Amino acid sequence: MRLAKSDPLPVGSSDHFDSVARKRLPLGAELQLALNLIPAHTWYAAPSGALTFLNERGSDYLGLPKDHPIRLGIDTGAAWDSHIPLLHQDDREETRRVWSECLRTGCAGEVSFRVRNADVGYCWFLSRAEPVRDADGTLLYWIGINLDIEERKRAEQELRDIVDTIPAIVWVALPDGSNTYVNSRFVEYSGMTPAQTAGSAWQDAVHPDDLQRHEAKWRASVASGEPHESEVRFRGADGEYRWHLDRGFPLRAEDGNIIKWYGIVTDIEDRKRVEEALRRNEHCLAEAQRLSHVGSVGMEVSTKRIFWSEESARIYGYTPGTEPTPELILQRVHPEDVGLVTDAIERAGQGGADFDYEHRLLLPDGSIKHIYNLAHCYRNEAGNAEVLGAIMDITERRVAEETIRRSEAYLAEAQRLSHTGSFGWKPDDEEIVWSDETYRIFEYDSTLTPTVDSVVQRIHPDDRALAQQVIDRASQTGTDFEHEYRLLMADGRVKHVHAIVHAVESTSGNREFIGAVTDITEHKTAEEKIREQEAELRQMLDFAPQLIAVYGQVAEDKDVVGWVSSFTEDGTFTDQSIGVTYRGPDELGRTVETYATAFPDMHRELYSFYVIGDTVVVELALQGTHKGPLALPQGTVPPTGKRMDTPCCDVFRLKDGKIQSFNCYPSGTVMLAQLGLLEISTGRDQRTDQVKL
């Protein structure tokens, strides 16, 4: 915003200078009157940023006295950030950053914050500030408006609450694909904070094997504007990955341009498992048919078309893939059974009910097979009838036995891989049956007949009494139970196991228990490791503020003893600006005395610190007046009387709660320049600058 030369109180006029002399901005009562008429909180500030005028609405909201200088537009020489204490504690840092950026750049800006009212309550406002300049670009003052957005904030919160109730993950992205929002469902699931999902950071939660494919699909949708859909695995807070269906749709403006992307992510882990199980079952079914010589067969009643599996073709002595017809089937049927099979085919064509019969095949080589047929008629969703069944080669029972053996082997291998054994228990006759994996978990020889006593004998002494109570109660009540306990092995090792037991009733009416026992030792060990690491991190986070508190007072208090005692015996302090390392109590103590002599009012202005493992990084400024000799390796610098305010970064590495190494990185160039010890000049005949001390 600029003022023309003809505007009232232009810069350079006598009235302008008179108003400045009276510490009033070059503004008239007309502007204050206009700002008072605006139905919002309006204000203006000096070029320095100091709040000078707040209209009646804003002043009444704050509860300011009627004669308050801000109501009257009187410049009291306040600091540029004097209004910050009026804001909510959580909003002050961001507001100070935005306002300081406006003052630094001279550009307009806006920020949202909560302002305390006269009743000590807080309301949300959107504050916008504009610079007002003279025709020649000179900044005259800042003018601003604070709009009440309390209702909007409440609506946004209500919307967030609604979105958070959706039983799915919801996300929002910019037109370029950068993520801007995820609901609490994803935060809870992934353990990531909203800030950790911003932009493309959400990719950290994607399974490495899915990232490239998923990212390519998303980028293709962003480029084309077509809806996005991808199946991808996301990592949960527990470190486990689950399958999700990610769908995104663009929201377009009237001109067709994309405004935002909105998406929803649903958990399809169970569906994927079902699909995988279905694929596995189909494969296993085909294999089972081949191995067990059991084929499938069917007929579409309306068309009389017959279809069968490859195994059925093999059973009939035909090449897999051969299209079955009544004629081909009857060619293989034993002559004495042709009538039986012909009748069955005709009944199937009429939609007959159940089929359960046996017949023989006479193959070209003269061999005979015995076939068992089982089928029934059903109607699909469209109402069409089909007869579906199975044909079984029962000539070789051994094939079926092999199939059973394989199934048992699969189960045993699954138990071994999952460290889960199965068992059965009949309390009435004390019979216990264990799987091979159960024997391995308890580390008993498989020739041993398990008993309740042998189980209790393996249980850790500290857990034995409770485990016995669980066993006795289950035996008496016949109810399901679940219990976690420890095993003490013969060599002193301890295992953690988890047992789940289900009670059933046998055909004779006796109670039986079927259960599973899982070795969870690795899981328990991992949990303990995590707890230890969390404890170490909490200890570090608790110690860091104490270190900063002691460290920040060393310069002011000249506490040599406290300073030296904060180091380990082999601790070091290195001043990286002069390349000198100090060791031992004498040298470390001398550093405090050296700087205390040179700068009696030495102060370390601490800005922030960061904790990374056993390392603490501090951002600060070295402040003080050079009133005494400064002893450096290059010589002693006599007092200059200059004041320094030098940026610095200190890095501490800690061990057992003390400083093992302290590296100080002050800006030596800035310090020397501030003390008047650094001269920068450019020679007339030289292209480069020369720096002289």
Side-chain angles (χ1 to χ4, degrees), residues 46-50 80 95-109 129 131 133 139 142:
S48 66
W80 65 275
T95 304
R96 183 178 280 106
R97 184 192 66 78
V98 173
W99 186 223
S100 65
E101 182 69 11
C102 291
L103 298 179
R104 185 183 66 82
T105 62
C107 297
R133 300 181 182 277
L139 178 62
W142 293 86

Side-chain angles (χ1 to χ4, degrees), residues 468-593:
Q468 185 67 59
Q469 292 177 13
V470 173
I471 294 172
D472 293 342
R473 184 168 57 252
S475 178
Q476 295 168 6
T477 62
T479 55
D480 297 353
F481 67 90
E482 184 173 349
H483 187 51
E484 189 174 302
Y485 52 91
R486 293 169 294 173
L487 301 180
L488 181 60
M489 299 296 105
D491 59 1
R493 289 178 296 109
V494 175
K495 288 185 178 181
H496 294 263
V497 296
H498 180 252
I500 301 178
V501 184
H502 176 58
V504 297
E505 186 174 311
S506 66
T507 54
S508 60
N510 295 326
R511 289 174 302 180
E512 296 182 10
F513 291 92
I514 300 173
V517 57
T518 304
D519 184 346
I520 59 172
T521 305
E522 294 182 359
H523 177 69
K524 285 290 186 180
T525 302
E527 286 182 344
E528 182 61 27
K529 182 64 175 177
I530 291 173
R531 282 193 293 270
E532 291 176 357
Q533 292 174 345
E534 289 177 345
E536 291 176 359
L537 178 58
R538 283 195 298 270
Q539 182 180 11
M540 180 62 67
L541 292 176
D542 291 341
F543 175 70
Q546 300 174 19
L547 168 66
I548 299 306
V550 172
Y551 162 72
Q553 292 298 316
V554 167
E556 288 85 343
D557 298 343
K558 316 300 186 293
D559 184 5
V560 176
V561 175
W563 172 243
V564 172
S565 64
S566 64
F567 283 82
T568 61
E569 290 185 3
D570 59 347
T572 62
F573 162 46
T574 301
D575 187 338
Q576 296 291 350
S577 66
I578 59 177
V580 177
T581 298
Y582 303 93
R583 294 179 174 86
D586 293 339
E587 292 186 3
L588 291 172
R590 192 160 56 249
T591 61
V592 176
E593 296 172 353

